[in-house]
Amino acid sequence: MIKLALIQIKVHKDKNINLKRAEMGIKEAAKNGAEIICLPEMFNCPYDNNYFVKFAETYPNGDTIKMLAKAASENNVFIIGGSIPERYQDKLYNTCFIFNQKGEMSGRYRKIHLFDVDLKGMRFYESDTLSPGSDITIVDTGKIKLGIAICYDMRFPELMSLYAKKGVQMMVIPAAFNTITGPAHWEVLLRARAIDNQVFVAAISPARDETASYVAYGDSMVVGPWGNIITKAGIDEEIIYADIDLSIEEEIRKRIPLLKNRRM
Ligand SMILES: NC(=O)CC(=O)C(=O)O
């Protein structure tokens, strides 16, 4: 059994408040026995292109990055650091930093598929400020092999199946769906990705804030490899926990051997 915690927090316009809230959440989750702790997409920064530019940080000296490293070592936990705007050379990325129990960075994933959409009532182009990443990121905690994707990435099944083919046992997906796409697609996509790859899927959203320019959906959840919802948050701030039992995944893969039966 591996104890997982998803921290669904509200994102404020003040970065320091976001860091404090995340730090407190990590501490509480660790106290409750969580070994792997996950934060939401853009947890330190409003989901807004202007803020991405203003709040961007560079590894290793950014305030958020230092907080995550310290929180991981102080609480002896593995942290999947949601995502933050990262400045690297002359570009910005939507990046997830991952830290092990020693506070060492054990992975960095840059969102590959940028959210460029024009919905009725909402236009959002991440590519106005961000550049896409190009590499998948697999992290072995010693107990479980994790694959990282960010939000819009979950709509691209070939990315998830690439991870499954490489032996990933759980996808961790910091995300910020919204009140238009969330009710329509969030749960369906997460359950579908879990079923078609026979993996656990953990998706972590910010809490809903109706006053924000982009209203995140909430509903963070952990789905099992059978497509069953193991645990699910509401729309407000909350920490949810799941016990991950890899023998269930092994059993499902044995009974319906998709990886073996695959022909393309
Ligand atoms: N914000 C995203 O990257 C994706 C999203 O909201 C959606 O796909 O819907």
Side-chain angles (χ1 to χ4, degrees):
M1 287 285 190
I2 303 147
K3 197 173 182 99
L4 180 73
L6 312 190
I7 300 181
Q8 180 169 293
I9 43 172
K10 209 174 252 187
V11 177
H12 296 262
K13 288 182 179 157
D14 180 337
K15 195 201 270 192
N16 289 325
I17 295 178
N18 298 328
L19 299 198
K20 269 272 152 297
R21 298 289 300 142
E23 210 177 346
M24 279 165 54
I26 292 166
K27 209 171 190 170
E28 182 181 329
K31 224 165 86 190
N32 289 331
E35 297 157 80
I36 301 173
I37 300 178
C38 316
L39 291 161
E41 181 178 25
M42 292 292 177
F43 75 92
N44 75 341
C45 171
Y47 196 76
D48 175 316
N49 275 303
N50 296 317
Y51 280 92
F52 296 164
V53 178
K54 258 197 276 182
F55 280 31
E57 296 185 14
T58 305
Y59 178 83
N61 289 320
D63 288 343
T64 312
I65 295 162
K66 286 195 289 193
M67 180 279 284
L68 292 171
K70 188 161 165 267
S73 65
E74 278 182 0
N75 295 288
N76 192 31
V77 289
F78 219 93
I79 296 181
I80 315 297
S83 80
I84 66 167
E86 180 206 9
R87 190 179 302 283
Y88 179 69
Q89 295 173 344
D90 59 344
K91 291 189 173 145
L92 299 184
Y93 297 90
N94 184 338
T95 303
C96 175
F97 287 93
I98 301 121
F99 292 94
N100 66 18
Q101 298 90 333
K102 291 183 186 153
E104 300 159 343
M105 186 174 77
S106 51
R108 164 174 27 200
Y109 173 79
R110 296 183 173 132
K111 186 175 188 176
I112 291 176
H113 301 94
L114 294 183
F115 186 49
D116 284 354
V117 299
D118 204 343
L119 301 164
K120 279 188 195 129
M122 190 191 63
R123 177 192 180 279
F124 202 101
Y125 270 66
E126 281 190 317
S127 63
D128 284 350
T129 56
L130 303 177
S131 297
S134 50
D135 299 316
I136 64 167
T137 299
I138 297 173
V139 176
D140 195 340
T141 73
K143 284 192 172 178
I144 186 167
K145 234 174 152 181
L146 307 174
I148 313 295
I150 299 178
C151 202
Y152 196 50
D153 283 327
M154 77 173 78
R155 292 186 182 270
F156 299 86
E158 44 312 319
L159 175 65
M160 306 290 148
S161 64
L162 181 60
Y163 274 117
K165 281 181 202 159
K166 289 187 178 288
V168 156
Q169 294 158 306
M170 175 162 72
M171 286 301 306
V172 179
I173 313 180
F177 269 41
N178 52 75
T179 46
I180 299 172
T181 60
H185 300 154
W186 173 254
E187 180 184 321
V188 184
L189 285 170
L190 295 172
R191 296 181 67 194
R193 294 297 89 89
I195 294 165
D196 51 33
N197 296 297
Q198 300 176 313
V199 290
F200 287 91
V201 174
I204 318 93
S205 168
R208 198 173 299 178
D209 176 1
E210 301 285 355
T211 67
S213 63
Y214 179 95
V215 182
Y217 183 51
D219 270 32
S220 298
M221 67 173 73
V222 181
V223 180
W226 190 250
N228 53 309
I229 295 176
I230 296 173
T231 182
K232 176 175 162 327
I235 62 173
D236 296 323
E237 291 197 319
E238 190 177 347
I239 302 178
I240 58 171
Y241 298 89
D243 289 318
I244 303 299
D245 180 354
L246 288 177
S247 70
I248 293 173
E249 189 168 283
E250 229 173 90
E251 175 76 13
I252 291 169
R253 288 179 176 191
K254 215 181 281 167
R255 298 212 177 272
I256 308 180
L258 292 184
L259 279 170
K260 205 164 117 203
N261 295 347
R262 200 176 292 272
R263 299 193 62 202
M264 56 191 87

